[in-house]
Amino acid sequence: GFKQRGILSEVVRPHAPDEIKACNMGPPQSQKSSGGQQPQSARGPATSGFALSRKMREKADQALPQPKKHVTAAIAPKVVEVFSHRPGDRPRKVTVERRQKWFGSLNIEELLIQRGISFRPSNWNADHWLKLDDFDNTEYDIRSPEEWLDLGVQEDGARLPVRATGLRVDEYGVGTWQECIATGVCGTGAQRRFVVSWMGTPDEPASERQGKLLTRLQVLFHGEDP
């Protein structure tokens, strides 16, 4: 059966004043040594800190979570804000993060469709004797093509490809905006092109994804205002 628990009043009893005073006085004087410390023999053997061997230390370091190695470069939006803000002003970092979230929420294809521009129809460039690139003007570009790619240079000197969204036209002439990475620039003047590789799918042949040439108007870098 169940054991009857004791009643608190049977365990707790009032203490005499002498018992309370003895508890406040501490240990007897015979157990104290000079300086208020017990002798080494009374305290027991000296102890030292726990030390790991070199092999155990290496295993412990390997068990720590490793920092994620980036394979592509993410570009922060370019903002006109001071680096050292006054108390009460909005920090520059907050402005950059808000602008980055805003740009990331925009879809370049939807923005173009709202303005009556779509590359989905296979005949989107039919009956047009002037190309869109003929009207391209780099005067108001915030960065040159080389400057965009230089943003992929890391602190250790390694150069990473820059993430972007590009216009991909298939064999039937249908154009869609897809994720890509910019790896270089080739050509001069009007023949200047970005060298990109489509992210695609794992089962897609590398020859269909890598080394594609796009004009400046066909590339939208991440962190760039659509």
Side-chain angles (χ1 to χ4, degrees):
F2 294 98
K3 182 179 180 181
Q4 178 66 34
R5 295 183 178 272
I7 306 302
L8 184 62
S9 60
E10 298 177 356
V11 180
V12 179
R13 62 178 179 83
H15 293 76
D18 295 340
E19 294 177 335
I20 299 176
K21 185 177 180 181
C23 294
N24 296 333
M25 292 177 62
Q29 294 293 332
S30 59
Q31 297 183 6
K32 296 182 180 180
S33 61
S34 59
Q37 297 181 353
Q38 294 182 353
Q40 180 68 27
S41 59
R43 297 197 306 267
T47 59
S48 59
F50 180 74
L52 289 176
S53 63
R54 181 179 59 84
K55 191 173 183 179
M56 288 294 295
R57 174 59 63 185
E58 292 177 354
K59 289 184 177 181
D61 293 340
Q62 293 175 358
L64 293 175
Q66 300 297 326
K68 186 178 180 180
K69 187 176 181 180
H70 298 284
V71 295
T72 58
I75 302 176
K78 190 172 184 178
V79 297
V80 183
E81 294 285 348
V82 295
F83 284 87
S84 300
H85 64 281
R86 296 178 301 177
D89 290 347
R90 181 174 55 194
R92 187 179 189 275
K93 183 179 180 181
V94 174
T95 304
V96 173
E97 291 179 353
R98 290 179 178 177
R99 193 74 58 84
Q100 193 165 15
K101 290 181 180 179
W102 178 38
F103 290 168
S105 64
L106 300 176
N107 187 299
I108 180 61
E109 188 166 6
E110 294 179 357
L111 294 176
L112 291 175
I113 292 177
Q114 293 174 4
R115 290 158 177 79
I117 303 173
S118 177
F119 298 94
R120 291 280 184 175
S122 58
N123 61 343
W124 59 270
N125 60 347
D127 300 330
H128 296 289
W129 59 279
L130 284 177
K131 296 183 179 180
L132 182 62
D133 297 325
D134 296 334
F135 300 92
D136 187 17
N137 187 356
T138 60
E139 183 178 355
Y140 297 102
D141 285 357
I142 60 175
R143 295 184 178 96
S144 65
E146 289 78 11
E147 290 174 342
W148 281 110
L149 297 180
D150 288 342
L151 294 176
V153 179
Q154 305 300 298
E155 296 180 355
D156 57 357
R159 181 181 290 271
L160 298 179
V162 181
R163 286 185 289 176
T165 303
L167 179 62
R168 186 175 187 179
V169 182
D170 61 14
E171 57 183 347
Y172 302 105
V174 178
T176 56
W177 293 88
Q178 299 183 13
E179 298 290 325
C180 65
I181 53 176
T183 58
V185 179
C186 67
T188 58
Q191 301 301 321
R192 201 164 183 76
R193 299 290 186 271
F194 281 101
V195 182
V196 303
S197 296
W198 304 109
M199 304 300 291
T201 57
D203 56 347
E204 189 176 9
S207 59
E208 297 182 7
R209 294 187 290 109
Q210 300 176 359
K212 304 303 179 180
L213 302 181
L214 297 180
T215 64
R216 176 66 187 91
L217 296 178
Q218 295 174 331
V219 178
L220 176 65
F221 289 97
H222 288 193
E224 184 181 6
D225 188 353

